Structures are given as structure tokens and as C-alpha cells.
Amino acid sequence: MKSLIINNMVKGWVNCFFPFCLLTFLPLNINAQDDVNIGKSSIKLKSRMMTPEALWAMGRIGGTEASPDGRQVVYQVGYYSVKQNKSHQVICIMDANGQNNRQLTTSSKNETDPTWLDAQTIAYISGGEIWSMKADGTDRCQLSKTGGKVEGFKFSPDRQQVIILKSIPFHEVIKQNPSDLPKATGRRVTDLMYRHWDHYVESIQHPFLFRVGNGSVIATDGLDILDGEPYECPMEPFGGIEQLAWSPDSKQIAYTCRKKTGTQYAISTDSDIYLYDVATRQTRNLCKPDGYQAPKSDPSHTLSDQPVNKNTALDNPGYDQNPQFSPDGQYIAWQSMARDGYEADLNRLCVYSLADGSKWYLNWKSDVEAFCWAPDAASNAAKGGQSKAKGKKVKSTDPLFYFLSVWHGCNNMYMVSQKREVYQLTETWDDWTSLQMANNGQQILATRQSLSAPTDIYMVTPAKKVGAAADIQQLTHENDHILSQLTFGKMQQYWVKTTDGQQELVWVMLPANYEEGKRYPTLLFCEGGPQSPVSQFWSYRWNFQMMAANGYVVIAPNRHGLPGFGQAWKEQISGDWTGQCMDDYLSAIDFAADSLPFVDRNRLGAVGASFGGFSVYYLAGHHNKRFKAFISHDGAFNLESMYTDTEEVFFSNWEYDDAYWNKNRTQRASKTYENSPHKFVDKWDTPILCIHGEKDYRIVYNQGMGAFNAARLRGIPAELLIFPDENHWVLKPQNGILWQRTFFDWLDRWLK
């Protein structure tokens, strides 16, 4: 609960890239106690090569939290059964040094969201209710009685209150059907944002405040913190309990909310941090001046040059979310973007003084993905001076914050000193994905993954000397029983000159069965987002080691538009989807074909999802016969259709500048529509596989169908893999394996 998982949810399109699903066949022995209690797999591989079945047998570590006394760590793991086509979430515990690791929950129900109530007691969710148990798994007790409606929770520091997330009916946009027509399936829609991500918006989450009675059982009369307000909290589609925070004295709650509905919601990213007083039930906005009224905006034009973004320093019109109180309760910090309508703006760290309302921002070159306060951060220290915290003299070089940020294709850990100077703690080819303080602030409990390793839990001890590398201890080895049987491809890094005279970082993954002197079929990996990093991610679908296991070289360029190379590099792509970034793709694959002796230039393919899928559709009409096969997953094909199909209009407005019908549209907008992939189908000459989910409301499935239909009408070899029950991702195990088998069957057909 306190662990901060890297939060890209504000980047709805960025998240489009990170999937959850992955080809070949291998029978597994998955231990299952009964029909639904799916446990850790016992697997004996018949081959040293990765298969989708082996991938789906891996446990997936979720939230982690250290006990208040620093002696133990509780965490969540998900296991999947391909046969049963479902997952099972369990809770595990271990000593803080990684020893004595064991599973606490054995119920057939999913048990999730473990958090410590005290050093001996853990609270968690089971069956839609909050339960507690001792740290040894005994004395289980149901704490809440909501009729199974608990979707998230956070206890106050004094344990006398708890925030519970519950869904309530919402009929601001989709009207409620008449009561005498109970079997009617029609939906009467009156405004935009009637569906989001993968569902129709007929309910929204609200945070309810409950008192804890009798020291253990939660009273049944919860208070809706947003009572009567037609706004969601946390925010759709990925927000969770991390968007709310208790003050250390349990008297205030900070929460994230975008207080808009309908069209205004669809065109805006303006969320704010609100402070709720538990005693008075009064709420104030920490991001806006008193009396603020948002100016009128043209919903069919980018907000970049509209009045709402004229005073960003005062009005905070961009995404503000994930508040955390300082240990002394005098400050709140949160992640903040400056501009409304731009979901990939620089994600800064904002620090707000509750005493006088002043704020400052961390001056850093890349996005702050997650953060936590250092334990001795104090009021004066937050201003860069010195103060006493807990009776201890705080030095100017002592830590104020720890945070995660991507730079040059790796997501590493950093420290901010009391003087607001930034020091790097880890320098590995990895992606650190969460962090929280542990052991009375002496250590950092964190999770890490890479292109060659799924998520595990680590304890990081910062060096006593400022700027020195931290000590890293791996606590869990969740999938070593599988990984130890596999042969992985080796990764290389290159810097390739781009057509504008700059350098792009290119990751290269060698085949798992690599032999010196041989040439291999090679895949150009096209990143999604369009502004998500090609970092050291471990994916359960777009898994580079799976591609390596099937005998492919993978070329993965960090083209223009990706974070981790400065904000100018990241922002270059807006309004130029078919310009420099496409040149960067071609520069990377041409470098590989010309300079890497193991790349077979006569067997090249291009693959990608979301913006990567759009890239594939565009390259299909502009590749000059470089490629022999294409695969596009959930890609945009017709940008005019896309503009009105997608639910988050702010994205298209910012990236395209204008609606296609605007006669006075900008030059960038005209270029975008004129270069839509569907206008170059006459130049298509290469086999293409189109994949799409029918519940994808971000890039609607008619885009994939349109591309497939166009290819077949042109007489080009093509296939369509359509999932009626999947969204922008592929989440079900059997669908994931079907995805993988189809993916490699298609590539093998044309490249081997």
C-alpha cells in the first residue's frame, strides 16, 4: 500500500505500450489445490528456450511493504493457470534480509493489497472486504462489512479511521434506463467520455471515510468524501489508492481529482490535489488560486495555445497527482505536469508548504516516475536549510527525497539532498519500478526488472558518502526455478547517428541460440506511447527474450519522442508522427543491416503496438522494400477516424493540433492528416498481420479491421487476429498464448 509503483497512468497512451501477455508449445505442471486456487508452478522444461507457457508460469510480484519495525516484508504475487484461463493472487511474507520466505494465504479467493496495521498485524482485501491476520497467517478477522464493495483502502496513521474506495452509480453522461425496462440494453448517451479504456462509464469510484470501532471492526456508516460530487477519485483508468494520502496526525486527507465531466473531461488533463479536513469536512484546492474559473476552450483545437495554459505557474492546469505528506506533516509533495492537455509533459516533483501555500519544483532533466520522502525531511530542510528532525541534526547533504527516473533507457534510483541537489544511487541496466523507506529510513525497499529478468524485490542501502553507489541486496527469487532452466539472449547497446545529426540509443538483443558467424532474421521493435521509454522493461507479451528464444535479433531504438534524453527530444514527436521518428526507425534498422554481422538484411521484419502499431502501418507504405513482414497490434490506421473514435480527446488535440474538419487548422495538423497511413495503402507490398481487441476504446478496433480489409483488397497476404474480450492489452492466459503463437507463426512464415 505504501509502496510507490511507477505511475504512468496519467500517460494513458504511454501505458498503451506496456502489455501483460506472450509462443511455441510446452506442457507445464501447474500446481493447483482446486479449481481456482492457482499456486506457484512446478515446471520441468523440455527445452532451454523460452516458451509462452513458461512465461505464463512465472509469478508476478505486486505491492510490497516493510513492517513498521523493519523486520519483515509482506508482498503480493499473482499466479496464472493457462488451463483454467485465470489468475490467483496470494500474499507472501519474508524477513527483511530475504530469509524465511513463505506464502501466508491459501484461500481459493484472491487476496490482495497487503499492508501493515502494526508490527504484528497485516490488513488485506479478500472477497471485496478488508481482513486482518497476524504476521504468521493466523487469527484471520473480517474488519469491514460493505457487501463486498471494497476496491482499495488506506488506514490512518493512528489506525482509528480508514479510507475505503467504492464504486457508486454515475449517470451524468449515460442516462439511467427506465425502471420498467429492466432488460433494455440500450444506452442513452448525452456527452463525451461515456466510455473509458475498456468499459462504459456507468459507475465511478469515490473514497469513503470509515471510523474503526472496538479497536478492530470497521463501523458500517461510511462518509463519502466527495459526497454529491459527480467526479471520480481515484482517476480513471489506472488510478488507485496511491492517489490519496493521510497526514501524519490523521487529521487531513490529500486526494487527487479531475473535477470535470463530459466534454470538458475528455479534452483536459487538469487534475488537482485537494486537502480534506476530517473534523470540519471542508475541502480546499492546493493547485488553484481562490476563486479560479477555468477559461473557455475550443474542444477541437490543442490546448497548448489556449488561455487555460497562459499562467501555468499559478494555475497548475496539468496533471497533479499522488500526494505524500512530509514526515513532519508540514509539506505535501506530488507529481506535477505544467500544461493542460499534454499527458506526456515533464513529470516534475512539486513541494507545497501547508504553512504559507508556497511551492517549489525539483529541477530535473527527466520524469519523476515515483518518489518517497526521506524520514528526516523536515520543514526548514524542505527549504534547503538545516533543521532538527527527531532530535537529529540534519545536514544539507542528507536526503530529502528518493525518486525513480528514466535516463538513457534505464530507470534508476536517485536521491535529492536537503539543498535540492540530485545524486544517482543506482547505475545498472535495469528498471527500478517502486520504492519506499524501510528499517527506520536506513534502507529503501524497492522492486526491479530488466529485459532479462522479471520483477523481484530488493533492499537498497544508500552509501554514507554522498554520490557513491548504493548497496543492493536481492530479497526474492520468485522465478529462479524457471529462469535457471532457460538460455537467454545477450543484450548490447549502440548509439546510432540520426538524420538530424543527433545520436539515438539502440538496444540490440541477440538470439538465445546465437552462434558467431551466423546471420539471423531481425525485428525492428517500434515503441508505443508515443512517449514511453524503450527501457529495461520486462513484458509478458512484448518480451524480447521470447523473440530471442525464437531465433530473432531484436533492434529496439530510443527514437525521437521518448523520455530519458531531455524534454526537447521527447516533445519533438508532437505534430511530427511521420517525420523524424520514422527516420530514426530506418536509421536504426539500416545501421543494423549494414554494420552488425549477425543481421540478415534479407530477413527483416517490423513489429509494434499502439503508436508502434501506427508506425508499422506507416512504414508499410514507406519502407522501400526493407522489410519482408509486418505486425501491428492495436495501431492507429486512419487518423481522421481516430480523432473522433478515441475517448481521450486531449491526446489527439495535442498530438494533431486540430480536428480534421477545422478549415484554419495548423500546418502541423494538415501534415498529420495528409500522412495518415491509410492514404498510402496503394504502396503496400508486404505481408502484414493486424491484431486488435474489441474492448479497446483508446484505439478502436475498426482501425485494425480497416487495415486488414485494405490489405486483402489490395491482394496483399494478411491476417487479422481479433479479440472480442480484450482491451488495448491482452490479459487472459489463453488469449496471450494464442497471441504469441500467431505472432511467431506469422514471422516464421515470412522470415525463416
Side-chain angles (χ1 to χ4, degrees), residues 571-596:
E571 293 194 10
Q572 188 281 329
I573 198 172
S574 295
D576 189 32
W577 278 20
T578 56
Q580 188 59 54
C581 64
M582 296 298 165
D583 290 341
D584 291 352
Y585 283 139
L586 297 179
S587 294
I589 198 64
D590 288 347
F591 161 79
D594 294 339
S595 304
L596 302 180

Side-chain angles (χ1 to χ4, degrees), residues 457-473:
I457 303 172
Y458 294 79
M459 193 68 80
V460 178
T461 305
K464 293 183 178 180
K465 182 179 178 182
V466 173
D471 178 71
I472 301 170
Q473 179 188 5

Side-chain angles (χ1 to χ4, degrees), residues 523 525 542-552 554 743-744:
L523 304 178
F525 172 75
W542 292 94
N543 189 292
F544 287 7
Q545 289 294 352
M546 181 67 72
M547 299 176 196
N550 280 270
Y552 290 94
V554 182
F743 184 92
F744 287 108

Side-chain angles (χ1 to χ4, degrees), residues 79 90 106 119 149 184 223 338 363 377 386 473 516 541 560 579 617 640 697 701 714:
Y79 297 108
V90 302
T106 57
K149 296 179 179 179
L223 172 69
N363 183 21
Q386 293 186 5
Q473 179 188 5
E516 196 76 29
R541 188 174 38 155
H560 277 77
Y617 288 144
E640 288 189 359
Y697 302 151
Y701 68 91
R714 285 270 295 120

Side-chain angles (χ1 to χ4, degrees), residues 674-727:
E674 289 166 2
N675 286 285
S676 176
H678 80 285
K679 294 190 174 183
F680 300 94
V681 173
D682 62 311
K683 295 182 172 61
W684 284 18
D685 58 7
T686 303
I688 188 166
L689 168 64
C690 308
I691 308 174
H692 227 106
E694 290 190 34
K695 294 182 71 176
D696 183 356
Y697 302 151
R698 188 59 44 85
I699 300 179
V700 183
Y701 68 91
N702 64 299
Q703 298 285 318
M705 286 183 168
F708 167 73
N709 293 353
R712 291 305 302 132
L713 290 170
R714 285 270 295 120
I716 294 169
E719 287 187 7
L720 173 67
L721 178 58
I722 192 80
F723 293 103
D725 55 346
E726 299 285 6
N727 56 34

Side-chain angles (χ1 to χ4, degrees), residues 51-67:
T51 67
E53 287 82 2
L55 196 66
W56 278 93
M58 294 181 183
R60 307 184 190 186
I61 290 177
T64 65
E65 185 171 310
S67 61

Side-chain angles (χ1 to χ4, degrees), residues 80-198:
Y80 287 77
S81 167
V82 173
K83 180 180 179 180
Q84 298 172 27
N85 204 31
K86 61 180 65 175
S87 67
H88 185 221
Q89 302 294 321
V90 302
I91 296 172
C92 299
I93 195 171
M94 62 183 168
D95 296 341
N97 60 3
Q99 300 298 309
N100 198 25
N101 194 316
R102 58 206 184 277
Q103 183 175 320
L104 281 182
T105 60
T106 57
S107 166
S108 61
K109 295 180 180 179
N110 287 322
E111 296 179 311
T112 64
D113 301 79
T115 188
W116 294 91
L117 291 179
D118 53 48
Q120 292 81 38
T121 313
I122 298 166
Y124 61 99
I125 295 177
S126 178
E129 299 291 356
I130 304 174
W131 288 67
S132 69
M133 62 180 168
K134 294 298 183 183
D136 61 2
T138 63
D139 293 343
R140 296 171 187 262
C141 175
Q142 182 176 336
L143 302 184
S144 68
K145 297 179 181 179
T146 66
K149 296 179 179 179
V150 175
E151 297 168 351
F153 70 96
K154 182 171 286 188
F155 278 88
S156 59
D158 63 8
R159 306 305 184 198
Q160 298 304 302
Q161 305 168 88
V162 63
I163 299 167
I164 292 180
L165 300 181
K166 297 194 298 178
S167 289
I168 63 172
F170 179 75
H171 297 293
E172 292 287 318
V173 174
I174 301 176
K175 295 303 180 184
Q176 189 169 13
N177 284 341
S179 59
D180 63 334
L181 301 176
K183 295 184 179 180
T185 59
R187 291 182 171 97
R188 183 182 171 192
V189 178
T190 62
D191 206 344
L192 296 185
M193 201 47 78
Y194 51 92
R195 60 184 191 178
H196 207 172
W197 187 249
D198 61 1

